[in-house]
Amino acid sequence: MPAAGTGEWPFHGLDIPALAAGGWRPVPFSEFVLKIHGRCNLACDYCYVYEGADQSWRDRPAAMPDAVLDAAAARVAEHARAHALTRVAVVLHGGEPLLAGRAAVAAAVARFRAAMPPSCEVEAGVQTNGVLLTDAMLAMLDEHDVGVSVSLDGDREGHDRHRLRANGRGSHAEVMRGLNRLAGSYRRLYRGLLCTVDLGNDPIRTYEALLETGPPRIDFLLPHGTWTAPPPRRPVDGGGTPYADWLIAVFDRWYGAPRKETGVRLFEEIMNVLLGGQSRSENVGLSPVAMLVVDTDGTLQQVDSLKTSYAGAPETGLTVFDHPLDDALWHPGVVARQIGRAALPGTCAACAVRDVCGGGAYAHRYRTGRGYLNPSVYCPDLKKLIGHIGRTVQRDLALAGPAAGR
């Protein structure tokens, strides 16, 4: 019996030799997610790593060994030289990456910067739950110029509904202590907040709670789900648009503010593509995705939100020890994220917002038996949200008149 997923698109039905024969070539990787620690100090009930269909974290090292770090740095440097890259982003991730400790985090960043060719800049960042943002940790991150993004789901009630300690205690107070330190003396490191949408939370109260520390950007994330395992309260029969309604309330509050309070990545990327720009987000538009994950054991993986699809979904079968990163560029799952419209099902072809939506987040397209050749399980929500933003922007451009085009 074939392994899960191997008989489904893109493993079955995507003709990569034909693409290559027709002149298509992949875009080199420029963002690398390092799982420097594979465990977490929270037990969030929606976590795709620990609560998803893929439980491979149990069999991997808790922390990334030095040998994996060195091999990963060498492979990224090799890739940068081969493709004459002038900049790469290295994101420290987990689990909770700061569990690795200050020395290990500092060493990881230093290893990558030392390995890169002089012509290639390393932009280092960390995605954290914020609990371990002590003064000592922030001083180290400041010394090594590591940007910090923090997960926060709104006010205390909204955040603590899901983002809990293993003993059931909420984490909001600890996260806010860390955030206040970051937003104070270390503000130059503050990159923004990630907030997972919860329909049980009031959208305006959530947004305004997120503004308290003056984040430069907020990224609203739709809860991970598929056609096989739908997200909370997302009807799979196409009825209703609960997530669009929630996000539209936030958009109107954000867009209608008398001054810009923060950036909101989802809204800005939709507006950018509507106005003819290229998407810089893997969740919007048709721009090629150029990101690769290195797990604690050195395996090379696709975006790890695919863990919600089925066990082994993110795997490429490659490692930093045995394979150059160019090998991963030709993996069917990576190719599917780089070929734009060719990766969309026929149902998307005539959709008016196809090129803005881009099919939605890849992980949200999965259906057992068909793989990822489907529209997003959030399709009705995405249509409504994009339509609302488009009409709002068109109205304001019309009111501005010819001067808007100058």
Side-chain angles (χ1 to χ4, degrees), residues 188-206:
R188 79 175 191 90
L189 303 179
Y190 198 177
R191 297 295 180 265
L193 299 174
L194 273 69
C195 174
T196 298
V197 174
D198 182 343
L199 298 178
N201 294 337
D202 180 82
I204 304 305
R205 188 167 69 239
T206 298

Side-chain angles (χ1 to χ4, degrees), residues 38-52:
R39 304 295 185 268
C40 194
N41 48 359
L42 296 185
C44 307
D45 60 16
Y46 57 59
C47 182
Y48 61 80
V49 176
Y50 307 111
E51 302 296 330

Side-chain angles (χ1 to χ4, degrees), residues 11 15 45-46 65 76 84 88 106 121 130 143 152 155 183 194 206 208-209 313 326 329 354 360 367 395:
F11 295 96
D15 193 341
D45 60 16
Y46 57 59
V76 172
V88 297
E121 175 191 0
E143 179 184 353
L152 180 70
D155 61 10
L194 273 69
T206 298
E208 292 181 346
D326 274 22
L329 288 173
R354 174 197 62 194
R367 187 193 294 268
R395 178 201 67 201

Side-chain angles (χ1 to χ4, degrees), residues 181-405:
R181 293 185 186 104
L182 174 63
S185 302
Y186 300 97
R187 174 161 284 277
R188 79 175 191 90
L189 303 179
Y190 198 177
R191 297 295 180 265
L193 299 174
L194 273 69
C195 174
T196 298
V197 174
D198 182 343
L199 298 178
N201 294 337
D202 180 82
I204 304 305
R205 188 167 69 239
T206 298
Y207 173 68
E208 292 181 346
L210 296 174
L211 291 176
E212 288 181 9
T213 57
R217 174 171 286 186
I218 298 169
D219 201 357
F220 287 104
L221 307 175
L222 293 169
H224 289 307
T226 68
W227 290 100
T228 303
R233 293 163 59 183
R234 171 59 257 166
V236 295
D237 60 3
T241 54
Y243 287 91
D245 298 339
W246 198 98
L247 287 165
I248 285 169
V250 176
F251 173 79
D252 288 346
R253 165 67 179 79
W254 169 77
Y255 189 82
R259 60 178 180 82
K260 184 175 181 179
E261 297 165 306
T262 186
V264 177
R265 188 182 188 199
L266 177 61
F267 303 154
E268 290 174 332
E269 290 301 328
I270 290 173
M271 292 167 65
N272 182 44
V273 180
L274 282 167
L275 294 172
Q278 291 291 309
S279 170
R280 297 156 295 186
S281 166
E282 65 174 305
N283 297 325
V284 173
L286 295 169
S287 299
V289 174
M291 184 268 288
L292 191 65
V293 177
V294 183
D295 214 322
T296 56
D297 59 354
T299 53
L300 298 173
Q301 299 183 6
Q302 307 167 67
V303 60
D304 56 351
S305 57
L306 298 184
K307 291 176 185 290
T308 56
S309 303
Y310 56 87
E315 304 291 345
T316 65
L318 310 173
T319 77
V320 292
F321 297 110
D322 302 318
H323 304 93
L325 303 190
D326 274 22
D327 286 1
L329 288 173
W330 295 96
H331 182 274
V334 174
V335 173
R337 313 277 320 272
Q338 293 208 1
I339 56 176
R341 293 175 187 170
L344 299 182
T347 52
C348 293
C351 181
V353 301
R354 174 197 62 194
D355 292 353
V356 183
C357 165
Y362 189 70
H364 300 163
R365 305 180 204 175
Y366 182 75
R367 187 193 294 268
T368 301
R370 284 183 52 86
Y372 297 96
L373 195 61
N374 308 286
S376 169
V377 71
Y378 287 104
C379 180
D381 296 286
L382 293 170
K383 283 184 181 178
K384 185 172 183 178
L385 175 64
I386 293 167
H388 178 82
I389 293 175
R391 288 188 297 273
T392 303
V393 172
Q394 287 175 345
R395 178 201 67 201
D396 284 359
L397 288 174
L399 290 172

Side-chain angles (χ1 to χ4, degrees), residues 62-190:
M64 183 175 281
D66 288 347
V68 173
L69 275 169
D70 288 338
R75 289 298 187 189
V76 172
E78 176 184 60
H79 196 70
R81 291 188 192 94
H83 297 280
L85 301 180
T86 58
R87 176 191 165 277
V88 297
V90 175
V91 182
L92 308 181
H93 208 277
E96 169 48 50
L98 299 186
L99 282 173
R102 298 196 307 274
V105 171
V109 174
R111 277 183 164 93
F112 270 79
R113 288 197 170 123
M116 289 306 112
S119 57
C120 186
E121 175 191 0
V122 174
E123 179 182 320
V126 62
Q127 175 59 49
T128 174
N129 61 36
V131 170
L132 297 176
L133 288 177
T134 61
D135 284 323
M137 184 67 76
L138 283 163
M140 179 276 296
L141 295 172
D142 187 43
E143 179 184 353
H144 292 274
D145 195 22
V146 180
V148 181
S149 299
V150 179
S151 297
L152 180 70
D153 283 353
D155 61 10
R156 182 188 295 269
E157 179 184 359
H159 180 91
D160 284 351
R161 182 174 290 117
H162 301 288
R163 301 190 64 81
L164 305 169
R165 292 279 194 175
N167 62 5
R169 181 165 56 88
S171 63
H172 184 267
E174 295 170 284
V175 175
M176 289 306 298
R177 279 195 291 271
L179 264 177
N180 284 321
R181 293 185 186 104
L182 174 63
S185 302
Y186 300 97
R187 174 161 284 277
R188 79 175 191 90
L189 303 179
Y190 198 177

